[in-house]
């Protein structure tokens, strides 16, 4: 991709990004959302624009590589059998419903689960569909010119009861709509492509949310429950009705090479939400979101405590986020099954509210512990560090006010932050302090109008080393380097195979 395609110039009160549209056609979705972010949030900041252009170059190179490839792709397992959606009556005109075609194709191909598995190829076209369920030993492959269009007809979305670790729906207590691409109790399932697109057409859902017209909680784009060996990769996800990717009660999950885009004012359009899942790897992905780019969860108050399944052994690396009103990585607030052993490295945030944010409250119980973060680059941020012990939304009045969360062993190191308003807001819980906080080798440069109090610390304990501006007294200076694990998790050793998507 030629960087000379990009130009920016001062247009009165902000820099504008200019480009040659015909040459950037393969990158249109990324282009439009980044430009929206520039127009809304990156006023008079030349350095942020240069960084975005660099990221655009990296993404463009990746997309070019994927788009220019044949039908080969990388997956945890290849399949012996293959079919194309049109074999089952699929029509890619953007108007004809294809829910029945998807269901018929998956039902037919699931017969080969014990005979080398099967893949369903979605060819070029615009494929309107409601929710459908995948099966085990199965791959859904989207051609680079394929677009799945989520139906806006509620009749195309089956109703489900709330998740047991939540007790109620997140939007409406009665329950929730099924996700667009869904599966439960599966083994070895892959959703991938050579950068095909899934468009949630979420505007109608966002309007219903704002107008309080929802009967059930909005659907997500991709969700698997109680599943093992899950891969979600090489896709562009746009305009989700709510959360985008939601592996729940899963193990051995690989999420790679995703571009996730939503308007920065869209409600609850979290990018990737690992929930009560273990051995998860998220890497080489880019999110523009109206909510947290990654939100690590494990159940809500008394329901999450009773279900008791933590999210643990999670790796996040080479990840970029734009979210002006939310976090790059949030831990919680629904964390009542526990969160432990999270390793995040080589993270970039641009025009985002905060870096890694811990969100919890009285009534959550459980723990957030053994969190390790290193090599973050933060540009134009409200907060560099934020921990909240008063994130007090509850599913109902049945939560236990004596269920206090345990927040400990939180490590940050090797961080550069520029144009920051507020270095740190670290708020533990009275009589339940957050402990074992370690921050080392951090350089924060401030905006032209920073907050007067740069480190606001209450009910926390820890240490710091080589941190600018100087931290609060609750983080005294010590000659230390904060830890980061050097061992490998099992998910790091997953080997991908080269597969073919020929029909």
């Amino acid at each position: 991709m030629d960087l000379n395609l990009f130009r920016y110039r001062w247009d009165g009160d902000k820099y504008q990004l200019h480009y040659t549209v015909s040459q950037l056609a393969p990158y249109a979705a990324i282009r439009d959302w980044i430009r929206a972010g520039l127009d809304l949030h990156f006023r008079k900041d030349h350095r942020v624009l240069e960084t975005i252009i660099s990221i655009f170059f990296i993404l463009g190179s990746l997309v070019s590589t994927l788009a220019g490839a044949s039908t080969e792709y990388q997956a945890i397992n290849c399949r012996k059998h293959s079919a194309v959606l049109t074999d089952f009556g699929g029509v890619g005109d953007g108007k004809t419903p294809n829910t029945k075609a998807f269901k018929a194709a998956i039902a037919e191909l699931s017969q080969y689960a014990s005979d080398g598995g099967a893949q369903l190829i979605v060819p070029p076209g615009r494929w309107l569909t409601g929710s459908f369920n995948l099966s085990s030993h199965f791959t859904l492959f989207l051609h680079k010119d394929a677009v799945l269009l989520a139906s806006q007809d509620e009749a195309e979305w089956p109703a489900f009861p709330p998740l047991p670790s939540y007790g109620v729906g997140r939007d409406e207590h009665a329950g929730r709509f099924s996700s667009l691409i869904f599966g439960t109790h599966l083994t070895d399932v892959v959703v991938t492509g050579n950068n095909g697109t899934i468009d949630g057409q979420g505007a109608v859902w966002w309007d219903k949310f704002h107008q309080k017209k929802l009967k059930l909680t909005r659907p997500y784009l991709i969700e698997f429950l109680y599943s093992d060996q899950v891969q979600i990769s090489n896709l562009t996800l746009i305009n989700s009705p709510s959360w985008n990717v939601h592996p729940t009660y899963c193990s051995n999950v690989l999420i790679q090479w995703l571009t996730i885009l939503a308007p920065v004012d869209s409600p609850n359009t979290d990018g990737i939400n690992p929930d009560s899942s273990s051995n998860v790897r998220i890497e080489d992905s880019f999110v523009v979101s109206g909510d947290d780019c990654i939100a690590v969860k494990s159940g809500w108050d008394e329901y999450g405590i009773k279900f008791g399944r933590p999210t643990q052994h999670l790796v996040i690396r080479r990840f970029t986020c734009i979210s002006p009103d939310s976090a790059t990585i949030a831990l919680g607030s629904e964390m009542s099954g526990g969160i432990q052993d999270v390793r995040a490295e080589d993270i970039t945030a641009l025009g985002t509210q905060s870096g890694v944010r811990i969100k919890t409250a009285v009534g959550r119980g459980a723990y957030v512990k053994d969190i390790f973060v290193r090599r973050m680059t933060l540009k134009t941020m409200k907060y560099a560090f934020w921990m909240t012990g008063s994130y007090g939304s509850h599913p109902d009045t049945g939560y236990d006010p004596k269920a206090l969360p345990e927040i400990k062993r939180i490590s940050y190191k090797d961080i550069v932050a520029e144009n920051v308003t507020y270095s740190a807001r670290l708020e533990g819980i009275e009589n339940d302090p957050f402990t074992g906080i370690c921050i080392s080798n951090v350089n924060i440069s401030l905006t032209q109008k920073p907050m007067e109090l740069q480190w606001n610390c209450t009910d926390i304990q820890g240490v710091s080393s080589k941190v600018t501006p100087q931290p609060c007294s609750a983080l005294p200076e010590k000659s230390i380097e904060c830890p980061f694990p050097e061992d490998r998790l099992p998910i790091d050793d997953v080997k991908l195979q080269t597969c073919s998507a020929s029909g």
Side-chain angles (χ1 to χ4, degrees), residues 400-439:
D400 180 3
K402 297 181 181 179
L404 299 178
E406 181 182 38
I407 312 300
K408 65 180 182 181
R409 295 194 297 274
I410 314 296
S411 174
Y412 303 101
K413 71 174 184 177
D414 305 336
I415 296 172
V416 176
E418 300 176 4
N419 200 26
V420 174
T421 301
Y422 204 154
S423 293
R425 182 177 174 184
L426 308 178
E427 302 170 330
I429 298 172
E430 187 176 3
N431 300 318
D432 181 32
F434 299 174
T435 63
I437 298 169
C438 183
I439 304 176

Side-chain angles (χ1 to χ4, degrees), residues 342 344 347 356 371-376 411-413 415 484:
V342 176
I347 309 298
V356 176
I371 310 300
F372 307 97
V373 182
R374 68 179 176 185
R375 297 197 298 269
M376 291 189 74
S411 174
Y412 303 101
K413 71 174 184 177
I415 296 172
F484 193 97

Side-chain angles (χ1 to χ4, degrees), residues 105-139:
I106 294 162
E108 175 72 20
L109 295 173
S110 66
Q111 299 178 65
Y112 300 109
S114 60
D115 183 30
Q119 64 183 358
L120 176 63
I121 298 169
V122 182
R126 295 172 62 80
W127 308 90
L128 181 67
T129 181
S131 172
F132 57 87
N133 294 1
L134 301 187
S135 61
S136 293
H137 308 292
F138 185 90
T139 296

